[in-house]
Structure formats: structure tokens, C-alpha cells
């Protein structure tokens, strides 16, 4: 798998709290040059990116990174992000609801946010590092039943990131219309290739361009 093919699967990501426009602009320039799948950025930069890079595929995060915002607030975030120019939404589930076994509530929230997305892509971050195997399986079912487009492993802000065993577990339990995104902890070219070959349509990382092109 060559670098160009790998980069087609990359959500080129910058979500640090102190991200500046200069750093976001560099991210976007790299995304254009290397034809990454998208840029994944804080919502505050969507409108400016859309104005300066009108053809760029913009992804943003909702209820990020902890997920315990109300459903109403997540819906408002989602609608505003789409109005500003986002094409893809990465939402964080309410992890407390998952841990309390309120799987139907989580499923209902995902469904409402997918409705707010309309024809835009919804990726659902379940934050695997905090979940048991049974909870992960329950989230595969919730994401599928709610009609989301992707299940995503991690925010990158939790105690751990993507693990191969979780990707394999997802493949067993998600519906045929659900794709997989890995995020967090994907650090080498070999990692990128392994996760893509295992079935990840997308990988969220801030370092893919650097690791594949030796840019610093």
C-alpha cells in the first residue's frame, strides 16, 4: 500500500485546545497537497476553512471530548457545524449512560443526531478505553440501529487509543452499512497499513502526513 492510498483514508486532525489559525492553515494546506480524506478540526474554525478552502472536506467533533453534554446541546452543535460548512460529524456518546447500561438512551441520542446531520456523515465515538467487551458490543448494536455511518474507537483524549482487538470486535458486531474509524495511538506507517487492512475506512491522526512524508 503506497502513501497516496494510505492518505485517502486519513482524517488529518488537529483538535488541541490551543490550536491557532496558522496551525489550522498548515493542516489544510497539507490536506490539499496530500489529498487526505478530510481535515478534522474544532468547530470554531469551520467557517474560516470553508471560506479559504472551499473544496476541502471538513470534519468536526460534537460533545467532545467527554460526551456528557445534553442531547439538545449536541444537536445544536451539529446543526451549527453543518451550516458553517462541515460535511462530517464525529460525536462522542454519553459514556456515563453506556456505563449505566442505558443503551437505548444512547441509541436514541445517536439517532437524533443522525437526523440532524441529514445527508452528512455521522461518526460515533464510543471511547473504547473505558468500556467492557459487552459494552462495546452494545455500542456496535446502538450505532447500527441508529443509522450512523461510522463507529469510531476513540477521541484521542482518553486513557488509550485504537486497539486491533476492538477493530476485529467491531467487524463481528456492526451492521453492513456501518464503517469503522480508528483514532488515537496509530503512530507508524505499519500501524496505518495494519488498521486499514483490518477494515478501517478512516484513521484519525495528526501525524500521518509527517510520518509518511518526513515533513517536520
Amino acid at each position: 500500500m503506497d502513501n497516496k492510498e494510505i492518505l485517502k483514508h486519513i482524517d488529518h486532525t488537529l483538535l488541541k485546545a490551543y490550536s491557532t489559525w496558522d496551525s489550522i492553515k498548515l493542516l489544510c494546506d497539507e490536506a490539499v497537497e496530500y489529498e487526505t480524506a478530510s481535515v478534522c478540526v474544532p468547530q470554531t474554525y469551520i467557517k474560516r476553512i470553508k471560506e479559504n478552502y472551499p473544496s476541502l472536506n471538513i470534519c468536526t467533533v460534537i460533545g467532545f471530548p467527554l460526551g456528557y453534554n445534553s442531547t439538545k446541546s449536541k444537536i445544536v452543535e451539529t446543526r451549527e457545524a453543518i451550516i458553517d460548512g462541515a460535511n462530517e460529524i464525529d460525536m462522542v456518546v454519553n459514556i456515563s449512560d453506556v456505563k449505566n447500561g442505558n443503551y437505548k438512551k444512547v441509541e436514541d441520542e445517536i439517532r437524533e443526531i443522525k437526523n440532524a446531520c441529514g445527508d452528512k456523515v455521522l461518526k460515533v465515538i464510543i471511547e473504547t478505553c473505558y468500556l467492557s467487551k459487552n459494552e462495546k458490543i452494545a455500542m456496535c448494536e446502538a450505532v447500527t440501529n441508529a443509522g450512523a455511518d461510522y463507529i469510531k474507537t476513540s477521541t484521542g483524549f482518553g486513557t488509550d487509543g485504537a486497539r486491533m482487538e476492538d477493530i476485529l470486535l467491531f467487524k463481528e458486531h456492526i451492521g453492513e452499512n456501518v464503517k469503522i474509524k480508528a483514532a488515537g495511538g496509530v503512530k507508524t506507517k505499519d500501524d496505518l497499513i495494519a488498521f486499514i487492512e483490518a477494515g478501517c475506512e478512516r484513521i484519525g491522526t495528526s501525524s500521518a502526513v509527517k510520518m509518511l512524508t518526513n515533513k517536520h
Side-chain angles (χ1 to χ4, degrees):
M1 190 178 297
D2 64 20
N3 289 354
K4 187 171 184 179
E5 179 61 28
I6 294 170
L7 288 161
K8 289 178 182 177
H9 295 273
I10 300 300
D11 286 346
H12 197 25
T13 301
L14 182 57
L15 294 170
K16 292 177 180 175
Y18 51 85
S19 303
T20 63
W21 172 244
D22 285 345
S23 61
I24 293 291
K25 188 174 183 300
L26 176 60
L27 186 87
C28 294
D29 288 340
E30 290 174 344
V32 171
E33 180 178 356
Y34 296 104
E35 299 180 348
T36 62
S38 76
V39 288
C40 188
V41 295
Q43 188 169 345
T44 188
Y45 287 115
I46 296 171
K47 191 176 291 186
R48 194 168 180 184
I49 293 170
K50 190 68 175 177
E51 291 169 353
N52 287 274
Y53 301 86
S55 63
L56 200 56
N57 187 32
I58 303 171
C59 172
T60 196
V61 288
I62 299 299
F64 193 86
L66 301 175
Y68 49 38
N69 319 54
S70 71
T71 298
K72 286 182 180 179
S73 69
K74 290 178 181 177
I75 290 170
V76 170
E77 280 189 88
T78 299
R79 289 175 174 160
E80 289 187 349
I82 291 170
I83 289 169
D84 286 348
N87 298 305
E88 303 189 359
I89 301 295
D90 287 19
M91 65 161 283
V92 186
V93 298
N94 188 317
I95 300 161
S96 295
D97 283 342
V98 180
K99 299 304 294 184
N100 287 322
N102 294 330
Y103 305 141
K104 181 64 165 57
K105 183 179 177 184
V106 176
E107 180 182 321
D108 289 344
E109 177 177 270
I110 297 168
R111 185 177 291 108
E112 288 192 59
I113 295 173
K114 179 56 186 173
N115 288 341
C117 285
D119 61 353
K120 306 302 183 185
V121 171
L122 177 63
K123 309 189 199 95
V124 180
I125 306 169
I126 69 167
E127 201 70 292
T128 48
C129 61
Y130 300 132
L131 306 185
S132 68
K133 181 178 178 180
N134 287 340
E135 289 164 345
K136 293 170 191 175
I137 292 170
M139 288 302 94
C140 288
E141 294 170 352
V143 169
T144 300
N145 293 341
D149 301 281
Y150 280 78
I151 187 168
K152 178 178 170 184
T153 60
S154 318
T155 62
F157 286 72
T159 56
D160 200 1
R163 289 182 172 270
M164 187 60 69
E165 60 258 34
D166 290 326
I167 305 306
L168 300 178
L169 184 70
F170 289 175
K171 287 174 69 177
E172 285 184 42
H173 296 282
I174 55 174
E176 61 182 12
N177 294 322
V178 180
K179 298 175 183 178
I180 300 171
K181 177 176 174 179
V186 185
K187 298 296 187 186
T188 67
K189 181 175 180 178
D190 287 344
D191 289 340
L192 293 172
I193 293 171
F195 277 100
I196 293 167
E197 290 183 342
C200 294
E201 178 65 26
R202 296 285 184 87
I203 297 176
T205 173
S206 60
S207 57
V209 166
K210 182 188 291 185
M211 75 174 76
L212 294 176
T213 66
N214 296 315
K215 289 190 70 167
H216 298 286

